[in-house]
Amino acid sequence: MAEVNVWAWWQNALAGKIGPIHDGDPQQGYYRTRFKDKPWEPVAIWFEDGKWHAMRGERQVDASDIWTWCCRNPITYEAYTKGIEGAGWDDEPEAPAIGHNLPSDPFEALQIEFAAEREQAEAFLKKPITTQAEADRAAIWSKRLSTIAKKATDLHKVEKQPHLDAGRAVDDKWRALKDEPDAISKKLKRHMDAFLQEEARKERERQAAARAEADRIQREADAARVAAEKAAAKNDNTAAAADAAAEAERLSQQAAQAERDAQARNASAGRTGAKVSLRTFVFAEITDFDALLMALKDRAEIKEVVETLANRAARSGVELAGMAIRSEQRAA
């Protein structure tokens, strides 16, 4: 009678031929299993003295219960031995030596955990990956670090949430008292626009008339000054020369006042501390969108927006003019 190879199922599984698998039907061999996000534990299953036996790490367990949890993870005897001895696994990075006396504060504890992982990962990154085991370690490291990042995100959210809630409560309390007066204030200013614009139009007319009057008086003052200078030069009528000089001075002062009156006066309303006046606001009116877009095309902000829209179109399978859909494989 041919001898039955009790190791056949496990040997085939090591070669990549797993199955068939049945609940309550364990197969002799070496495996590993783990709880979610916990380290791997070595498993040994064997048949002896008419019954099945199993060890999970250093603990004896029921072979039927552990079977379906470990059967898809066969390992060599050498790997099992290393696992039992606490020497880790060839396909994953070593667990950082951070001990068990971590601070009670979750932020400080996570900082220590990350510091240990970062030190090993940065050393690993200095050399290229050349083996499957190294690639496996990189993948597991990536997962462990992303788990730290997720923990940090969750802890950050938990710690910040009360402050956000309190901030929202304060915002809700003050929102109406901030927004509604401001809105009415702006409406009142817009309500004055037409009046102040009309006042500004009147001021432009007044200024034009005052400018014309100032020019006329200046011409008279210039003529009077010339006449006074001529009278003084003749020196034949001292009284007439004095009268001409006085008239020239009077007209000169009148011209200076007319010049001041011709200065622009901005239309305004209110009083000091609460004055509203017309102010010039400069804005762009787009008259040719295509031409403007070409003028702005080299701006970094425009390139960023265009790239975002192009990537969105590419992911949707839409190839627009001026772009091509490309793809590359990256570790994810």
Side-chain angles (χ1 to χ4, degrees):
M1 187 173 180
E3 183 179 351
V4 176
N5 180 9
V6 295
W7 302 95
W9 196 100
W10 168 70
Q11 290 168 342
N12 288 332
L14 283 177
K17 300 174 183 177
I18 296 178
I21 298 171
H22 302 291
D23 288 346
D25 183 24
Q27 299 295 322
Q28 185 161 299
Y30 301 100
Y31 308 89
R32 65 180 178 177
T33 188
R34 64 178 172 182
F35 296 108
K36 185 178 180 181
D37 296 329
K38 299 296 183 181
W40 286 107
E41 295 180 275
V43 175
I45 299 176
W46 71 97
F47 190 79
E48 185 179 15
D49 297 332
K51 62 179 182 180
W52 286 101
H53 302 268
M55 293 290 292
R56 177 172 183 164
E58 302 292 341
R59 307 187 310 278
Q60 187 169 351
V61 295
D62 186 280
S64 296
D65 289 343
I66 196 66
W67 169 240
T68 52
W69 295 101
C70 69
C71 60
R72 291 179 174 80
N73 302 301
I75 59 175
T76 65
Y77 176 71
E78 290 74 19
Y80 174 81
T81 302
K82 286 183 67 176
I84 284 292
E85 294 173 350
W89 306 92
D90 290 341
D91 62 348
E92 70 174 17
E94 295 180 8
I98 56 178
H100 300 287
N101 297 321
L102 289 173
S104 58
D105 180 82
F107 173 77
E108 294 180 3
L110 200 59
Q111 272 193 320
I112 293 173
E113 183 180 348
F114 171 55
E117 294 283 10
R118 177 174 57 188
E119 183 178 359
Q120 294 185 74
E122 288 180 345
F124 179 82
L125 286 167
K126 292 178 180 179
K127 296 186 296 183
I129 292 174
T130 57
T131 67
Q132 183 62 47
E134 289 175 340
D136 292 340
R137 283 199 293 273
I140 294 168
W141 242 325
S142 174
K143 173 64 176 176
R144 289 203 321 217
L145 287 164
S146 68
T147 299
I148 290 175
K150 185 179 185 305
K151 283 182 184 177
T153 300
D154 294 342
L155 290 170
H156 172 252
K157 182 177 181 181
V158 169
E159 184 175 341
K160 188 176 181 180
Q161 194 61 48
H163 302 280
L164 292 176
D165 294 340
R168 292 190 186 100
V170 173
D171 291 343
D172 292 341
K173 174 183 176 180
W174 288 95
R175 183 173 291 108
L177 200 54
K178 288 168 48 185
D179 295 348
E180 291 181 19
D182 184 60
I184 296 174
S185 172
K186 290 176 180 177
K187 285 182 179 179
L188 286 168
K189 288 181 178 179
R190 298 294 74 74
H191 197 53
M192 286 185 278
D193 282 348
F195 171 78
L196 292 178
Q197 288 167 1
E198 175 61 18
E199 290 300 298
R201 184 194 64 77
K202 293 177 181 178
E203 170 59 19
R204 288 193 294 274
E205 291 181 351
R206 185 206 66 78
Q207 184 182 359
R211 168 58 57 195
E213 179 65 8
D215 291 345
R216 183 189 66 77
I217 295 174
Q218 186 62 54
R219 288 193 297 272
E220 290 183 1
D222 292 342
R225 186 177 64 256
V226 171
E229 290 173 353
K230 287 181 179 179
K234 289 180 180 179
N235 200 24
D236 57 355
N237 190 338
T238 303
D243 290 343
E247 178 64 9
E249 177 62 23
R250 184 187 69 81
L251 288 173
S252 178
Q253 292 178 1
Q254 188 177 352
Q257 181 60 47
E259 179 66 27
R260 289 191 290 271
D261 292 341
Q263 299 302 310
R265 301 169 189 168
N266 195 14
S268 63
R271 54 178 171 73
T272 302
K275 182 169 288 188
V276 176
S277 59
L278 288 179
R279 185 182 301 172
T280 301
F281 292 88
V282 179
F283 59 94
E285 177 187 0
I286 300 177
T287 58
D288 188 329
F289 181 83
D290 291 338
L292 179 61
L293 190 59
M294 289 300 295
L296 297 174
K297 66 181 179 64
D298 292 329
R299 296 289 295 269
E301 311 96 286
I302 299 299
K303 290 183 177 180
E304 184 177 347
V305 171
V306 171
E307 185 174 357
T308 297
L309 296 176
N311 286 332
R312 189 179 302 169
R315 287 191 292 269
S316 300
V318 178
E319 188 166 333
L320 303 173
M323 64 167 276
I325 298 177
R326 297 284 185 261
S327 64
E328 66 179 15
Q329 290 187 317
R330 305 172 187 163

